[in-house]
Amino acid sequence: MCMAKLRVRLCGVLVALTGLLAAPGARPAAADSLPDSLWFDAQASATLTVQGGRFTDGLGREVVLRGYNVSGETKLEENGGLPFSSVADARKSATALRTLGGGNTVRFLLSWAHAEPVRGQVDTAYLAAVTDQMRAFLDAGIRVYPDFHQDLYSRHLFNRGSWYTGDGAPKWAVEAGNHPAESCGICLFWGQNITQNQAVTKASYDFWHNAYGVQDAFLATAQKTMEYIGQHLSGDEFAGVVGFDPFNEPYAGTYDSGQTSRTWERDVLWPFYARFRARMDAAGWRDKPAFVEPNLFWNADISSQKQEGGLLDAATIGPRYVFNTHFYDQKAISGILMWGKAGDGQYATDFGTVRDRAGALGTSAIVSEFGHPLSGSVADKAPTVLKAMYQALDSRVKGASWWSDPADSGPVLSGTQWQWDLYNGRHHELMNGNPDKVLTSGDAWNDEDLSAVALDDSGTPVLRQDARLLDRLYPSATAGTAVAFTYEDRSRDGSTTLTWNPVPSSLPNVARLVGSGQYGLLVWRSNGSAAPTELHLPASFPAASTTVVSDLGTTAGLPAYTRSTPVAVANEAGGTGGKRLLLTASGTGAVHYALVTNGATAPSASLLSAARTELAAWAAKEFS
């Protein structure tokens, strides 16, 4: 382990020394276009902004960010606070994430402890290694937003024999404070440390009140980190970095006398975000939004944990900020408060609240963490809990009501699942530096096991969850505005296929066409762009057996893309082999629809025509 860490550091030093030979502050030369790029891709990827409450690309298309957190490995020490042990592993992970997991975005975890191990001294070797691993995802056509991650403030708060550990702040920041000895008492879940472990609550309080200048030091390191990343990526690569998450799961620690969770957000958390935003601007990230999180407990689904929040007093924060939140079903995770499995529409209200808060704040939203344990006593709930969460990201209307009420779908939400860790089940982590507590199973952090991926015995990435659930159809870029979307993934709970959104009997030919297959339906209002609308096409939708029924055209089997082909297939940019469906519409303001299915094999022309007639009438009725 020590040798592995040394190799990482030496590699980073070589990169840093190489960078010194270039002009100060100069970015590397622009890279060639990504493999499999089409005529519009370069302009589309030139920037990502927030307009009209939606993410938009350089062509003004509405973008949905979907992917994973990369990765909880950053919370461990075995690879020196890096997501991967090597750039080769980062590239392997990026390709798998694109082709197996269907992701176009990662939340990329960084460690303050490793970025600033000595107060006031940024470790450029660590930043060089981080940047190289980040580049592996950018080169695969995957967007990135970094996150200075922390949980329970710092591992250095915990003693070698503790049941729990943390991550985040460096040792010097912990030693600067006079914190009580850590103890959570009788805690069944690691998250109870957030409110019950006085070492954690005191250290968190000190950070938010800038005791010993620790917040100043963090902000200075964040700026230097952003400067380094910006200077050591090419201009094209840097364009793929879409923003920055300043602080994971903020919580006060303790409140001052008379202070509430809401006033803490207003008087303490938001001023911190304003300071971070200024650091972003100074570092050359002015055109990228800050992905700001509200008080951790603002949307807790256990009433005793819920605290008022959601940046209620931030007024209109506008396009320089993104409303960024997490969601876990703590009732389901408890094993006590929710019996049975999740069902159709389980989280429609919770995710609808996320849409509403973003709308009130005048910005877009992202659910940057969601997930459920894949082992242990509640793992049996994971297939339904995750299906219900993805369903709620796609639409605020449950499946049983979607066809009769599609106009209330709301915007398609962006989200990054926790998590994507190649080393799941193969770790070698000395918990709190204790050689007698070597963790190898799961995520190797506080008994968590949520990674959607692992390596098999040959070193090949394999999914640990149903591919039908993870590799999803979704509108990655809409030339206009998505007004309704649904996806029936037919994912499985054991041997049971879950169908929560059957095609209604009022559309018999559409139902025949879909059969028992997967299907998605996008309705959008075009903006006159010559560039197409894009949907990620899962591996379960091979071009030859994918059927599209749309007002733009009907086809059983997808032709290769040309500028004159309204319904077509192409590779996703990045050279990973992922596929995208491209739908080109003319005119401005017109409502279009596209049903995409892998159901019927070689459907007849008469069935396709009948299905199109039904969908046209349905669309005219629901969106006139």
Side-chain angles (χ1 to χ4, degrees):
M1 285 179 60
C2 292
M3 288 301 294
K5 188 182 295 186
L6 179 60
R7 284 196 297 271
V8 168
R9 290 291 188 260
L10 289 175
C11 177
V13 169
L14 289 173
V15 173
L17 288 174
T18 302
L20 292 176
L21 300 177
R27 289 197 180 106
D32 292 335
S33 296
L34 294 178
D36 296 321
S37 291
L38 296 174
W39 65 270
F40 55 86
D41 284 324
Q43 185 178 350
S45 62
T47 185
L48 189 86
T49 57
V50 176
Q51 296 180 17
R54 313 286 177 103
F55 290 113
T56 56
D57 66 13
L59 293 167
R61 297 181 303 172
E62 180 180 300
V63 168
V64 173
L65 306 176
R66 289 285 178 90
Y68 304 84
N69 283 261
V70 176
S71 102
E73 173 71 17
T74 301
K75 297 160 66 167
L76 308 182
E77 289 297 302
E78 61 184 0
N79 283 323
L82 292 168
F84 303 98
S85 65
S86 66
V87 173
D89 276 1
R91 292 193 183 111
K92 178 188 291 188
S93 181
T95 298
L97 188 144
R98 199 75 157 128
T99 57
L100 297 179
N104 65 6
T105 302
V106 293
R107 181 174 182 243
F108 196 95
L109 274 60
L110 306 176
S111 168
W112 177 21
H114 292 86
E116 190 186 8
V118 177
R119 183 165 191 160
Q121 298 181 25
V122 173
D123 186 345
T124 55
Y126 174 76
L127 298 185
V130 161
T131 305
D132 281 347
Q133 293 187 9
M134 190 180 297
R135 184 181 289 110
F137 288 84
L138 296 167
D139 288 349
I142 298 170
R143 290 183 169 100
V144 172
Y145 64 106
D147 154 50
F148 261 122
H149 207 79
Q150 72 81 37
D151 286 294
L152 309 184
Y153 190 70
S154 174
R155 68 184 292 267
H156 299 289
L157 288 171
F158 294 82
N159 62 65
R160 286 162 66 92
S162 178
W163 290 359
Y164 299 104
T165 190
D167 71 284
K171 185 176 182 180
W172 64 259
V174 171
E175 292 177 341
N178 182 24
H179 306 124
E182 69 89 8
S183 174
C184 194
I186 303 175
C187 290
L188 301 179
F189 304 99
W190 71 259
Q192 292 175 269
N193 285 271
I194 297 170
T195 56
Q196 293 179 218
N197 190 325
Q198 291 187 26
V200 175
T201 59
K202 179 64 165 59
S204 300
Y205 180 91
D206 283 353
F207 176 84
W208 295 115
H209 290 78
N210 199 24
Y212 318 106
V214 291
Q215 189 181 119
D216 289 340
F218 171 79
L219 290 168
T221 295
Q223 179 176 336
K224 293 173 184 175
T225 298
M226 288 184 281
E227 288 172 345
Y228 188 96
I229 292 170
Q231 291 168 5
H232 290 81
L233 294 174
S234 72
D236 290 343
E237 291 166 343
F238 189 53
V241 180
V242 297
F244 207 109
D245 185 342
F247 199 91
N248 179 69
E249 297 183 350
Y251 178 62
T254 56
Y255 294 118
D256 288 323
S257 177
Q259 191 176 53
T260 66
S261 56
R262 179 169 178 170
T263 60
W264 179 80
E265 279 193 351
R266 183 193 67 199
D267 299 335
V268 178
L269 182 61
W270 187 255
F272 166 76
Y273 287 147
R275 297 184 74 198
F276 196 96
R277 176 71 264 180
R279 296 285 186 161
M280 291 179 70
D281 294 350
W285 291 51
R286 178 175 295 276
D287 296 332
K288 302 179 187 293
F291 287 59
V292 295
E293 302 184 33
N295 168 32
L296 165 62
F297 296 107
W298 84 281
N299 62 344
D301 69 340
I302 297 176
S303 58
S304 61
Q305 293 184 353
K306 191 177 182 68
Q307 298 182 14
E308 187 179 29
L311 306 181
L312 293 170
D313 298 300
T316 301
I317 63 178
R320 282 165 49 80
Y321 298 90
V322 168
F323 185 66
N324 169 19
T325 188
H326 297 176
F327 184 81
Y328 294 94
D329 187 344
Q330 296 297 340
K331 290 181 180 179
I333 292 172
S334 74
I336 299 171
L337 299 176
M338 185 188 109
W339 296 101
K341 309 293 183 70
D344 178 22
Q346 184 97 6
Y347 307 116
T349 298
D350 297 294
F351 285 49
T353 300
V354 173
R355 290 177 171 90
D356 292 341
R357 283 305 308 136
L361 291 165
T363 189
S364 187
I366 189 167
V367 183
S368 60
E369 283 190 30
F370 61 96
H372 189 83
L374 300 183
S375 63
S377 61
V378 299
D380 65 307
K381 301 178 190 296
T384 56
V385 166
L386 266 295
K387 179 180 174 74
M389 289 181 178
Y390 274 111
Q391 180 194 50
L393 288 173
D394 289 343
S395 172
R396 68 189 301 158
V397 180
K398 67 180 183 178
S401 305
W402 192 88
W403 284 93
S404 60
D405 196 19
D408 285 342
S409 283
V412 182
L413 282 177
S414 295
T416 47
Q417 183 178 330
W418 186 272
Q419 68 155 327
W420 191 266
D421 174 19
L422 285 186
Y423 310 117
N424 177 270
R426 299 174 182 272
H427 293 284
H428 190 84
E429 174 72 1
L430 278 62
M431 185 176 182
N432 296 316
N434 188 340
D436 296 324
K437 297 184 73 173
V438 180
L439 306 181
T440 59
S441 63
D443 299 339
W445 196 87
N446 286 344
D447 294 324
E448 287 201 331
D449 184 13
L450 284 88
S451 178
V453 72
L455 296 176
D456 66 14
D457 290 341
S458 69
T460 301
V462 293
L463 293 180
R464 301 179 64 230
Q465 295 174 271
D466 187 355
R468 301 186 191 190
L469 172 71
L470 299 181
D471 188 12
R472 306 180 64 79
L473 188 81
Y474 62 91
S476 52
T478 302
T481 301
V483 295
F485 176 70
T486 190
Y487 180 52
E488 178 48 78
D489 56 41
R490 311 274 193 187
S491 59
R492 291 155 291 196
D493 181 9
S495 60
T496 301
T497 298
L498 302 171
T499 301
W500 292 352
N501 190 356
V503 179
S505 59
S506 57
L507 301 169
N509 291 293
V510 175
R512 275 185 60 204
L513 183 66
V514 169
S516 60
Q518 298 167 289
Y519 81 88
L521 178 55
L522 173 67
V523 181
W524 76 103
R525 193 177 300 277
S526 61
N527 65 358
S529 172
T533 288
E534 298 187 37
L535 290 91
H536 169 70
L537 205 59
S540 58
F541 285 72
S545 54
T546 294
T547 296
V548 176
V549 178
S550 170
D551 66 295
L552 304 177
T554 300
T555 179
L558 298 175
Y561 174 76
T562 70
R563 295 185 69 161
S564 60
T565 309
V567 179
V569 66
N571 289 334
E572 290 173 323
T576 61
K579 302 293 184 182
R580 49 181 164 168
L581 175 66
L582 300 177
L583 305 169
T584 305
S586 60
T588 300
V591 172
H592 303 280
Y593 62 87
L595 173 80
V596 188
T597 183
N598 58 8
T601 302
S604 66
S606 61
L607 177 57
L608 292 173
S609 176
R612 182 174 181 177
T613 298
E614 288 179 352
L615 283 172
W618 170 84
K621 175 177 176 291
E622 299 295 337
F623 300 98
S624 59

